[in-house]
Amino acid sequence: MESSAYITLKDVVFSRSGRRIFDGVSLSIPKGRITAIMGPSGTGKTTLLRLIGGQLKPDSGQVNVAGHEVPRLKRKALYTLREKMGMLFQSGALFTDLSVYENVAFPLRVHTRLPEDMIRDIVLMKLEAVGLRGARDLMPAELSGGMTRRVALARSIALDPELVMYDEPFTGQDPIAMGVLVKLIRDLNSSMGLTSVMVSHDVKESLSICHYACIIADGKVIGEGTPEQLREHPSERVQQFLNGEPDGPVPFHYPAGSAASDFGVTGGRA
Amino acid sequence: MIDRIAALGRRGLDIIASLGRSGRFLAGVLAGIPRPVSGFPLLVQQLYSVGVLSLPIVLVSGLFIGMVLALQGYTILSDFGSEAAIGQMIALTLVRELGPVVTALLFAGRAGSALTAEIGLMKATEQLSSMEMMGVDPLRRVIAPRLWAGFIAMPVLAVIFTVVGIWGGMLVGVEWLGVFDGAYWGNMQSAVDFVDDVLNGVIKSVVFGFVCAWIAVYQGYDCVPTSAGISSATTKTVVYSSLAVLGLDFALTAVMFGDF
Amino acid sequence: MGNRTIEIVVGLFMIAGLAAVLFLALQVSGLSPQSGGDRYTLYANFNDSGGLSPRGRVSMAGVTVGTIESVTLDKEAFQARVSLSIDADVDNIPADSAAVIRTSGLLGDQYIDISVGGDMESLQPGDTFYSTQSAMNLERLIGNFASGR
């Protein structure tokens, strides 16, 4: 049973500073499901999210979100589309001069004309969903890292979006915070019928909750499928990544000259 | 050798590209003029942090500069027996030149660098990005109010600086050095023309305010989003603003007070 | 700081600015409310107009009664033709008054002082001063003094 695709990328090519970050990437992200996009550091996973969100334009190829061709959208249409998206940045990116309550209320105040008591209800509901209703008057500087991310999550779902994107949600979190986030991502996805896209290099956590995953390396998709399919994937590269093997298609040694010449050993056994 | 020339050329092209970016940036900001009703609180907030918080340094500097002008001026003028002209000397110097220019330099140092650091920090912590992703144009919400605040606050600060300076000059000239009070103000009034001097000075400070605010805001927006990048951007703001102010001052003075 | 407080403070800031501008206008540049009054023009021809320039002062008995409008060259008479703009309520300048160029202070600006005559009739708008005294030429003075004249 295949859900229809909410996001499709077709032959996307994107370079920056002379480096080809995406070299013909095609993937589709199903609606209503949690999709994980994984890969080694620096493959441009965050760039992918920015392409989906329209912050960057691909050199060529199509980026289609909910039927809209994102790179071609005019500014106003793009901003309207973004109201249906929520994004959780790696650092949380809370507005430092606003309290937790004001941060979550921000999208509501900007995009809607709801009366103050309705905004209050919505903000408190979202904070309750992430378990931080009691922290509403704290300032971002007073929050721990995990709490910051939860508030940012509450803010990203304030407008009840259709799509939520998570940029490295598990990086640098302690086990409890990790557990909390995993629970939240899973519960929110099912209770709100969201399409969730997670960008991560944490294999264990990502595979434990996602319905579908894509592995990107060297600017191309090297493997995709359900977690079970990926575990059986024939590609060595995929297996090395999934199992965390230190040496394999991605070598342990950075390319270097001969060890013999560096250590001044001549005529010895290499 | 060829490499060095190529590097120089590349640097020149970088600078031109940066100017172009800043021009496009400015167009984007001006197009997103804060909505008169909903944007007003943002503007007021920025006027406070950019204008009101710069008052202490402006007041103190104005006072001291006025007093020094009186001291130095008295020494020089007494050689000609023209101490009575001290009022007009101080007033003209402040109204035409020092008021707009020194205030602009102080503004660039205090308010400009603060603006750059603030915006740079917002960029580095991805607050600007997240605003974009929420469908809010950061140019309109964050940048434009700050630009307009600088544009409005600068002339106000310059005028206050000038007045405090003239008053400080009076303190030293009249109270301490004994210049006749009536002469101080009387000579001043006959020498200073409202349209030619005061208004021109205000026009200068409006131009300076715009340029300093633009540079400050652009450097913050365009900086490399790391702590090193932010500090480099802050330095650039102060340096570029100062140079721009001094250069523009020469051009404006030539046009306004020259005989063209 | 509450929102309200900030708004009030900013309002005060702007008022301070306006007050400063007002101060500059009135106290510093001596802008007076009735400077837009009616005026009429008189002319004076000088052999040497010295440092006279438009906007210079015109005074009578030490009181400012007008300004210099323009200084042009009369090509036929080879004289400087200065037009003066006099306040309308100073309408009784005797017709034989002289326009004298004076310097304020030793190094100051030059201005025109009207030396009052005794005629019963007054100068009418558009009239020219009968007698004028040109600018004091410092070099000529020193020359005269040095050669014992």
Side-chain angles (χ1 to χ4, degrees):
Chain A
M1 177 198 57
E2 226 357 285
S3 346
S4 55
Y6 189 75
I7 302 178
T8 4
L9 268 71
K10 220 154 153 206
D11 298 321
V12 168
V13 173
F14 182 77
S15 354
R16 180 190 278 177
S17 335
R19 200 166 70 92
R20 264 236 159 147
I21 300 190
F22 293 127
D23 197 4
V25 164
S26 300
L27 51 86
S28 61
I29 294 178
K31 193 167 151 78
R33 298 258 175 272
I34 303 178
T35 305
I37 302 192
M38 299 188 285
S41 302
T43 41
K45 304 190 292 297
T46 312
T47 313
L48 188 65
L49 291 182
R50 287 186 202 259
L51 282 168
I52 295 176
Q55 278 185 320
L56 298 170
K57 281 202 186 23
D59 296 338
S60 69
Q62 297 170 353
V63 178
N64 196 300
V65 174
H68 298 273
E69 193 43 48
V70 170
R72 294 236 202 84
L73 286 177
K74 289 228 185 326
R75 195 170 146 109
K76 211 154 179 289
L78 181 61
Y79 275 78
T80 317
L81 180 62
R82 283 182 182 162
E83 289 173 36
K84 294 201 235 161
M85 300 183 197
M87 178 137 166
L88 180 57
F89 285 83
Q90 199 166 341
S91 59
L94 294 180
F95 302 132
T96 41
D97 49 337
L98 299 176
S99 68
V100 164
Y101 179 92
E102 287 299 326
N103 260 286
V104 180
F106 182 80
L108 294 165
R109 289 199 207 283
V110 170
H111 288 301
T112 68
R113 289 205 209 297
L114 293 172
E116 200 53 38
D117 45 340
M118 273 199 80
I119 292 185
R120 186 175 175 279
D121 288 341
I122 297 179
V123 169
L124 292 182
M125 274 201 308
K126 303 299 178 191
L127 282 175
E128 175 76 12
V130 302
L132 286 176
R133 186 166 51 90
R136 66 182 153 219
D137 290 321
L138 295 178
M139 298 300 286
E142 299 168 315
L143 300 172
S144 72
M147 289 166 74
T148 310
R149 281 200 200 173
R150 287 199 271 164
V151 174
L153 181 53
R155 185 177 67 179
S156 58
I157 55 169
L159 289 175
D160 289 320
E162 298 174 355
L163 166 71
V164 180
M165 297 186 273
Y166 302 89
D167 190 0
E168 306 271 4
F170 307 121
T171 308
Q173 299 292 296
D174 66 75
I176 300 181
M178 195 105 82
V180 167
L181 271 168
V182 167
K183 166 179 153 42
L184 282 174
I185 294 178
R186 187 181 19 226
D187 290 349
L188 282 174
N189 193 72
S190 48
S191 68
M192 289 175 67
L194 299 171
T195 303
S196 306
V197 178
M198 242 173 19
V199 153
S200 176
H201 49 243
D202 190 318
V203 172
K204 177 166 153 301
E205 300 295 343
S206 307
L207 287 184
S208 72
I209 52 168
C210 70
H211 301 111
Y212 193 78
C214 268
I215 305 184
I216 298 185
D218 297 330
K220 289 199 186 358
V221 177
I222 58 170
E224 58 185 306
T226 65
E228 297 75 29
Q229 288 172 340
L230 275 178
R231 287 208 183 89
E232 313 286 316
H233 203 278
S235 157
E236 257 189 43
R237 192 80 201 280
V238 172
Q239 290 302 326
Q240 182 192 11
F241 181 75
L242 289 179
N243 300 323
E245 286 155 23
D247 205 8
V250 179
F252 176 72
H253 284 287
Y254 192 78
S258 101
S261 58
D262 265 345
F263 290 113
V265 174
T266 52
R269 274 183 304 191
Chain B
M1 188 59 207
I2 304 280
D3 284 337
R4 275 202 218 138
I5 298 180
L8 206 66
R10 213 172 304 131
R11 193 105 174 75
L13 284 176
D14 276 343
I15 292 179
I16 295 182
S18 175
L19 272 175
R21 270 203 310 278
S22 69
R24 270 181 62 202
F25 168 79
L26 184 66
V29 173
L30 290 180
I33 293 176
R35 296 191 196 95
V37 174
S38 61
F40 193 68
L42 291 172
L43 183 62
V44 169
Q45 174 73 35
Q46 287 312 312
L47 273 175
Y48 176 77
S49 59
V50 158
V52 176
L53 291 182
S54 301
L55 260 184
I57 192 175
V58 162
L59 290 175
V60 173
S61 308
L63 186 66
F64 278 117
I65 287 188
M67 299 201 301
V68 164
L69 276 177
L71 268 178
Q72 284 284 18
Y74 188 84
T75 325
I76 297 173
L77 288 173
S78 56
D79 280 348
F80 295 98
S82 314
E83 302 92 352
I86 201 158
Q88 75 197 63
M89 186 203 91
I90 294 177
L92 283 176
T93 314
L94 282 171
V95 165
R96 287 182 183 177
E97 284 302 320
L98 291 189
V101 172
V102 173
T103 311
L105 293 177
L106 291 173
F107 181 84
R110 197 239 143 239
S113 62
L115 278 179
T116 304
E118 193 188 359
I119 295 177
L121 196 61
M122 288 181 91
K123 183 177 185 190
T125 52
E126 294 180 301
Q127 288 179 45
L128 295 182
S129 272
S130 70
M131 227 185 261
E132 264 190 1
M133 288 309 295
M134 278 190 253
V136 175
D137 185 3
L139 287 185
R140 178 178 258 176
R141 189 172 175 87
V142 170
I143 310 283
R146 287 168 169 80
L147 186 70
W148 288 102
F151 185 57
I152 296 174
M154 246 296 298
V156 173
L157 289 170
V159 168
I160 293 178
F161 180 93
T162 305
V163 167
V164 170
I166 291 177
W167 186 74
M170 184 210 74
L171 276 183
V172 169
V174 176
E175 307 290 333
W176 180 15
L177 295 172
V179 174
F180 181 49
D181 179 69
Y184 187 84
W185 297 108
N187 279 335
M188 190 192 297
Q189 284 175 5
S190 61
V192 177
D193 180 76
F194 185 71
V195 172
D196 278 345
D197 295 321
V198 175
L199 239 42
N200 274 337
V202 170
I203 292 175
K204 268 193 193 177
S205 57
V206 167
V207 171
F208 294 160
F210 181 73
V211 167
C212 287
W214 176 16
I215 291 177
V217 151
Y218 172 70
Q219 288 299 332
Y221 188 76
D222 196 52
C223 73
V224 176
T226 60
S227 38
I230 295 176
S231 77
S232 143
T234 317
T235 313
K236 274 198 243 173
T237 291
V238 178
V239 171
Y240 292 174
S241 298
S242 308
L243 292 176
V245 162
L246 293 172
L248 279 173
D249 181 50
F250 174 72
L252 287 172
T253 307
V255 168
M256 288 176 185
F257 298 108
D259 275 325
F260 295 129
Chain C
M1 257 214 160
N3 262 340
R4 196 97 184 84
T5 326
I6 291 188
E7 282 175 12
I8 295 176
V9 172
V10 171
L12 288 175
F13 175 71
M14 301 300 289
I15 290 178
L18 274 163
V21 174
L22 228 61
F23 179 81
L24 284 178
L26 299 175
Q27 187 66 349
V28 171
S29 60
L31 206 65
S32 52
Q34 27 84 294
S35 56
D38 282 329
R39 305 173 138 214
Y40 66 99
T41 313
L42 293 175
Y43 297 95
N45 297 324
F46 296 92
N47 288 329
D48 187 348
S49 69
L52 287 182
S53 57
R55 280 190 50 222
R57 197 157 74 103
V58 178
S59 72
M60 193 160 81
V63 177
T64 305
V65 296
T67 56
I68 297 175
E69 250 180 46
S70 65
V71 179
T72 49
L73 179 66
D74 184 339
K75 281 200 284 199
E76 269 120 60
F78 294 108
Q79 281 188 319
R81 188 170 173 74
V82 179
S83 67
L84 295 84
S85 174
I86 311 285
D87 282 341
D89 46 352
V90 180
D91 56 354
N92 58 344
I93 304 175
D96 61 343
S97 305
V100 180
I101 301 184
R102 290 240 168 88
T103 315
S104 63
L106 195 60
L107 301 171
D109 293 327
Q110 296 198 309
Y111 65 98
I112 291 184
D113 188 61
I114 300 176
S115 184
V116 175
D119 203 334
M120 296 298 284
E121 284 184 18
S122 310
L123 286 173
Q124 297 302 312
D127 279 351
T128 308
F129 277 92
Y130 176 64
S131 76
T132 61
Q133 193 178 88
S134 296
M136 202 104 68
N137 191 313
L138 207 57
E139 290 96 353
R140 208 183 313 138
L141 260 184
I142 294 177
N144 286 347
F145 179 72
S147 62
R149 273 216 273 145

